[in-house]
């Protein structure tokens, strides 16, 4: 049996999927395994594709919480569905225990920032908590009516998480923006929605 079971990554085409793309899911899977993340909160559930990826990455000893205003389906024994507005999320919803990673993907600026502030004040999001945001990249064409062009042939699909990256950077977080340059997209390598990972930097002792 292979050490890494990636059988849950089943997208035939990653171009037009509404869920997180497999390349991005694979990156988050690797991040979780490398850093030994065990407790994950995701804001935005959709069809559970990213939740499944998180659950596979943390393994049976880990824990994943999924929050959405729409009904969230329980996927495994160590998955906690939370059907509520992210702005009302509290420490008790995540068992009053600090989180290792928070994944922002519900495209509501006020709700997500309020959630961040509340959980930070409660000691659930700490300086050790990794933040990850989806849909922070740009597209080579207009996908939805609300998309807008910021430079020739470069369109913003979801502005919320891009704004949040800027806000977190002002708070002392170091962002790593994992975006595919529009010029590098091809039929064989379609655009990526964009993933940004942030952490609070502490100087390394030497």
């Amino acid at each position: 049996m292979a050490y890494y079971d990636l059988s849950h990554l089943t997208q035939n085409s990653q171009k037009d999927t509404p869920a997180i793309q497999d390349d991005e899911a694979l990156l988050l899977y690797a991040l979780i395994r490398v850093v030994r993340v065990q407790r994950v909160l995701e804001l935005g559930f959709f069809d559970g594709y990213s939740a499944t990826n998180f659950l596979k990455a943390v393994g049976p000893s880990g824990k994943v919480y999924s929050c959405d205003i729409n009904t969230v389906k329980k996927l495994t024994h160590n998955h906690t569905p939370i059907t509520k507005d992210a702005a009302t999320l509290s420490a008790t919803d995540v068992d009053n225990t600090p989180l290792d990673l928070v994944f922002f993907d519900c495209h509501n600026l006020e709700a997500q920032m309020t959630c961040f502030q509340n959980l930070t004040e409660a000691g659930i999001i700490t300086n050790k908590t990794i933040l990850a945001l989806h849909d922070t990249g740009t597209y080579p064409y207009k996908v939805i009516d609300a998309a807008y062009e910021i430079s020739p042939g470069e369109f913003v699909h979801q502005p919320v998480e891009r704004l949040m990256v800027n806000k977190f950077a002002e708070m002392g977080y170091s962002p790593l923006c994992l975006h595919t340059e529009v010029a590098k997209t091809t039929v064989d390598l379609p655009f990526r929605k964009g993933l940004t990972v942030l952490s609070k930097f502490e100087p390394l002792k030497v």
Side-chain angles (χ1 to χ4, degrees), residues 22-202:
D22 275 353
D23 286 352
E24 297 169 337
L26 184 60
L27 190 150
L28 288 171
Y29 181 100
L31 172 66
I32 288 170
R33 296 297 292 262
V34 168
V35 188
R36 291 292 185 258
V37 165
Q38 283 288 279
R39 291 176 48 75
V40 177
L41 167 66
E42 64 167 355
L43 304 181
F45 179 74
F46 187 56
D47 63 357
Y49 200 78
S50 59
T52 298
N53 183 59
F54 290 136
L55 287 162
K56 290 287 188 178
V58 301
S61 62
K63 186 78 174 181
V64 175
Y65 304 86
S66 298
C67 178
D68 201 297
I69 57 173
N70 299 308
T71 301
V72 179
K73 177 183 177 183
K74 187 176 180 67
L75 301 177
T76 61
H77 74 281
N78 56 336
H79 179 232
T80 297
I82 306 169
T83 303
K84 66 190 307 184
D85 187 329
T88 65
L89 202 68
S90 68
T92 56
D93 290 316
V94 292
D95 300 320
N96 295 295
T97 305
L99 297 161
D100 297 318
L101 185 147
V102 179
F103 183 60
F104 297 92
D105 195 25
C106 78
H107 315 314
N108 185 309
L109 180 61
E110 183 178 357
Q112 292 186 118
M113 291 306 300
T114 298
C115 177
F116 170 81
Q117 292 164 1
N118 291 343
L119 294 186
T120 298
E121 291 173 1
I124 300 302
I125 293 177
T126 72
N127 285 346
K128 299 292 186 182
T129 304
I130 297 169
L131 309 181
L133 296 90
H134 194 220
D135 290 305
T136 57
T138 54
Y139 288 6
Y141 52 83
K142 191 170 183 174
V143 178
I144 60 175
D145 290 340
Y148 55 93
E149 195 171 26
I150 56 173
S151 63
E154 186 176 13
F155 293 83
V156 170
H157 174 62
Q158 293 285 357
V160 169
E161 282 72 24
R162 290 171 66 88
L163 288 168
M164 290 177 66
V165 170
N166 294 339
K167 287 179 178 292
F168 287 140
E170 293 172 358
M171 296 178 192
Y173 280 88
S174 299
L176 174 61
C177 298
L178 301 159
H179 299 161
T180 302
E181 294 179 27
V182 170
K184 294 182 179 179
T185 58
T186 65
V187 174
D188 296 326
L189 180 63
F191 66 84
R192 292 292 172 259
K193 295 182 176 181
L195 188 68
T196 298
V197 179
L198 305 96
S199 64
K200 276 287 182 74
F201 177 70
E202 296 181 1

